[in-house]
Amino acid sequence: MRIAVLVSGHGSNLQALLDAKLSGEIVGVLSNRSNAYALERAKQANIDTAVISHQDFPTRESFDARMHQQLLTWHVDLVVLAGFMRILTPDFVKKWEGRMLNIHPSLLPAYKGMHTHQRVLNTGDRLHGCTVHFVTAELDAGQAIAQAILSVSSHDTIETLAQRVHQLEHFIYPQVVQYFCSKQLIWNNHQVYLNNQPLLKPIRFLD
Ligand code: GAR
């Protein structure tokens, strides 16, 4: 299984994937930002990198088409979004349907989009966490595969929640990627199967 990881920033989830014992191989790391620290991590692990800046393209479609071309060059089987902060076009998503995963810092369907930790604190939620899901054209709306859940304490701030959620992300993302690599996790005709059973609700991990 040949994996490409798409990043925009720090790349701690990329690091967790690099450190995990996956039966797949990370063959390329693609960033839309040339200064993403994730690129350093990839270089240190001797993994091919590509910088494709969205600013160099007049439209989302042309940017996505260039990314698609790069993924084909790498002969990718699985695309893993790890802090990749661009909205993808439906056409690109369709091409990777069932073969593209994302991790999101909230308990989806709650808090799609940005600033999830701030929004959790503003609402006074008691529970928070992260979700791994297949990517579909609608933002953060693909079927959830796994969620890790933490209890929000009265002392939590945006920073502590970000740090605590990151820890959970590093725990669940490699596991889900490994399920895909070992073909325990399959997408077939808009249905997710885990170990040959339809996955009706996400696997849940408690902090
Ligand atoms: C992670 O918390 C991830 O869930 C989030 O960006 C962070 C990237 O951290 N992704 C999104 O918000 C996508 N909508 P990292 O660069 O250290 O892996």
Side-chain angles (χ1 to χ4, degrees):
M1 198 64 80
R2 294 172 65 82
I3 304 167
V5 184
L6 271 53
V7 297
S8 300
H10 190 59
S12 68
N13 279 288
L14 167 65
Q15 191 66 55
L17 293 164
L18 290 170
D19 294 343
K21 289 196 179 10
L22 300 175
S23 53
E25 184 191 357
I26 299 176
V27 295
V29 171
L30 189 163
S31 175
N32 64 312
R33 295 191 182 280
S34 58
N35 62 352
Y37 183 65
L39 291 167
E40 276 310 308
R41 299 179 189 272
K43 283 173 193 156
Q44 276 167 29
N46 274 319
I47 289 168
D48 203 8
T49 59
V51 175
I52 301 176
S53 171
H54 56 280
Q55 288 168 339
D56 293 343
F57 294 84
T59 60
R60 280 188 194 277
E61 284 74 15
S62 54
F63 169 64
D64 284 4
R66 175 69 193 87
M67 286 202 300
H68 182 64
Q69 200 180 46
Q70 181 61 54
L71 297 173
L72 292 183
T73 305
W74 282 330
H75 299 287
V76 164
D77 302 301
L78 172 67
V79 179
V80 175
L81 307 183
F84 184 69
M85 305 309 269
R86 299 295 303 167
I87 291 174
L88 298 165
T89 55
D91 187 46
F92 179 87
V93 172
K94 185 84 192 150
K95 286 180 178 134
W96 294 97
E97 186 177 74
R99 299 183 294 154
M100 183 155 57
L101 299 172
N102 182 42
I103 190 153
H104 182 76
S106 78
L107 297 174
L108 291 172
Y111 306 114
K112 296 172 183 171
M114 306 280 283
H115 310 299
T116 59
H117 312 306
Q118 175 73 72
R119 289 155 69 199
V120 162
L121 289 173
N122 289 351
T123 312
D125 289 353
R126 306 288 298 276
L127 298 177
H128 184 33
C130 53
T131 305
V132 179
H133 63 95
F134 277 108
V135 177
T136 53
E138 194 187 332
L139 182 70
D140 298 329
Q143 186 176 342
I145 302 156
Q147 292 189 315
I149 302 170
L150 57 75
S151 301
V152 181
S153 97
S154 57
H155 304 294
D156 270 313
T157 61
I158 296 175
E159 289 73 29
T160 62
L161 282 183
Q163 195 248 338
R164 294 180 66 200
V165 168
H166 261 121
Q167 262 183 13
L168 297 177
E169 291 184 338
H170 303 161
F171 177 68
I172 65 167
Y173 214 5
Q175 292 195 44
V176 173
V177 170
Q178 178 54 29
Y179 288 147
F180 191 92
C181 290
S182 61
K183 297 195 162 60
Q184 287 170 273
L185 174 68
I186 289 168
W187 163 290
N188 187 7
N189 201 15
H190 298 269
Q191 174 63 58
V192 177
Y193 294 85
L194 186 69
N195 296 326
N196 298 319
Q197 301 295 322
L199 185 67
L200 302 176
K201 55 185 178 19
I203 315 160
R204 294 224 163 84
F205 299 87
L206 298 178
D207 185 21

